[in-house]
Amino acid sequence: MNFDTVLIATLGITLVSSFIVSVLLVLTQKWHGRLSLDSDTTGAQKFHAIPVPRIGGVGLFAGLVAGALALTWLPLEASPGKDTQQVILLLIAGLPAFLAGLAEDITKQVSISARLLATFISAALAAWLLDAQLTRVDTLGLDALMSFGPLALLFTCFAVGGVANAVNIIDGFNGLASGSVALMLAGLGALAYFADDMWLVQMCLLGAAACIGFMLLNYPFGKIFLGDGGAYLAGFWLAECAVLLLSRNPEVSTWAVLLACIYPVWETLFSIWRKGVYRKTGVGQPDKVHFHMLVFRRLIGQWVGRHAPSWLRHGLTSLFIWAMVLACQVAAVTLTGQAHPTFALAIIVYVAMYAMIYRSMVKGCQPSFSAEPDTERVIQA
């Protein structure tokens, strides 16, 4: 079988498997709901009024496993078996991050620090099994430091853990995190294609297909949630595809990869500044003024009205932010081959646009970036 045939078959198997397992999780929630339902509808970052299964990560993982097995078993003329089996190693490396998140989804008792440590362990495993390690950041002065192996490994673990946690942060509305990750993986896949790294193209599209299979039940009606397990797994997959793209292809700019993944990264950095520096409330303290929350309340609320169906407001919120994410992918791919400062400038433009939109949305809110009281309860399911 040629490459295109195997790729199409694998993506189909991945998407369908993710979807079927997600359907089964929804249909059987009366059996596992005591453990799996997200019954907390009163938290600062909760926007649903009916308990919904929050173990969609199981469907995501099932899709990736099915796709990995398909790549391993389907005969491929143009690729040696070693390449196809590496996807299984990547899945093995991602297990600590996924299982720690899934344990939180079920027990609600796994601390943020424990989950973050699990993502560091997953990153270290990927570095060991696949040599997925950052050895450059294409920044004057810092690349010399990255030549020191232990420091490079620590930076890689920090970067992967940071991206995984960032995806968990943006997981606030139906389809937002999974759709954003699918778009970012598509962007990384395009960069890999131009670098002639077809194995990595497969990995990126495999992750995107698994996300889309889950999204068929999550967007826009929210029949199942990604959960921490799904968010950490999706974030790990995205981060590792980015790391592998840079480690396998020296010609790809680190700044191009950062541009493709800038939305969750900047959302996290901005949240750290807002909570830890500006408001001094503690970085881990939840609030109601993340970018996606303000888009939901301020922009979408004004456009369609606060009494519009919640699925419509959720859907439009995700679409608005997806458009921003897509613009970053187009810019990263279009600028391929340009010097590092060009991508850095594009990132600065994104940050400026983000700040402008954010400022316009918080205008008129209560002091210290406090959003208006959440007097309404919206339904995701």
Side-chain angles (χ1 to χ4, degrees), residues 56-247:
V58 174
L60 195 68
F61 183 74
L64 289 172
V65 169
L69 294 177
L71 278 179
T72 303
W73 292 338
L74 289 175
L76 180 59
E77 301 169 358
S79 179
K82 177 185 175 183
D83 282 347
T84 58
Q85 291 171 5
Q86 283 182 333
V87 64
I88 296 179
L89 297 179
L90 187 57
L91 270 172
I92 292 172
L95 279 175
F98 168 62
L99 293 177
L102 184 62
E104 163 62 13
D105 293 329
I106 294 174
T107 68
K108 321 298 191 292
Q109 295 180 354
V110 182
S111 67
I112 294 176
S113 57
R115 282 174 273 155
L116 191 58
L117 176 61
T119 62
F120 290 166
I121 294 172
S122 285
L125 281 174
W128 175 46
L129 295 173
L130 294 166
D131 198 25
Q133 183 168 313
L134 293 170
T135 57
R136 61 185 174 88
V137 289
D138 294 326
T139 303
L140 186 64
L142 295 181
D143 281 347
L145 295 175
M146 295 294 289
S147 63
F148 182 56
L151 182 60
L153 177 60
L154 285 174
F155 181 81
T156 301
C157 292
F158 178 79
V160 172
V163 171
N165 188 65
V167 170
N168 194 39
I169 287 176
I170 66 171
D171 183 24
F173 294 103
N174 298 340
L176 178 57
S178 52
S180 297
V181 169
L183 286 171
M184 290 183 282
L185 283 171
L188 294 180
L191 293 176
Y193 177 82
F194 286 119
D196 200 28
D197 190 341
M198 301 311 294
W199 177 80
L200 193 56
V201 171
Q202 289 179 320
M203 296 305 98
C204 292
L205 295 183
L206 199 70
C211 287
I212 293 171
F214 157 80
M215 281 178 61
L216 293 177
L217 279 182
N218 174 253
Y219 182 84
F221 298 108
K223 296 301 181 183
I224 188 170
F225 292 167
L226 195 58
D228 284 26
Y232 280 114
L233 177 60
F236 169 80
W237 200 269
L238 173 67
E240 286 301 333
C241 284
V243 170
L244 286 165
L245 178 60
L246 293 172
S247 65

Side-chain angles (χ1 to χ4, degrees), residues 257-323:
V257 172
L258 179 58
L259 175 58
C261 302
I262 191 60
Y263 165 54
V265 172
W266 179 248
E267 176 66 25
T268 301
L269 293 175
F270 183 74
S271 296
I272 291 173
W273 172 84
R274 185 184 72 243
K275 297 177 183 180
V277 178
Y278 187 86
R279 300 184 65 187
K280 295 181 174 59
T281 58
V283 174
Q285 185 69 24
D287 61 20
K288 301 177 183 178
V289 285
H290 283 288
F291 186 84
H292 54 274
M293 296 175 178
L294 291 175
V295 170
F296 177 81
R297 287 194 181 94
R298 292 285 174 162
L299 295 185
I300 305 304
Q302 290 176 0
W303 292 348
V304 301
R306 289 179 176 271
H307 299 293
S310 63
W311 65 264
L312 177 61
R313 295 176 62 190
H314 278 263
L316 291 176
T317 298
S318 294
L319 279 174
F320 180 88
I321 297 177
W322 289 346

Side-chain angles (χ1 to χ4, degrees), residues 7 24 48 127 139 253 260 275 305 322 361:
L7 179 60
L24 292 176
H48 64 285
T139 303
S253 172
K275 297 177 183 180
W322 289 346
M361 291 190 296

Side-chain angles (χ1 to χ4, degrees), residues 14-32 36-37 52-63 210-219 222-225:
T14 302
L15 189 152
V16 171
S17 299
S18 178
F19 173 71
I20 289 176
V21 172
S22 297
V23 169
L24 292 176
L25 290 172
V26 172
L27 294 178
T28 59
Q29 60 183 290
K30 64 179 180 180
W31 298 338
H32 55 73
S36 66
L37 289 179
V52 175
R54 56 177 289 177
I55 53 173
V58 174
L60 195 68
F61 183 74
C211 287
I212 293 171
F214 157 80
M215 281 178 61
L216 293 177
L217 279 182
N218 174 253
Y219 182 84
K223 296 301 181 183
I224 188 170
F225 292 167

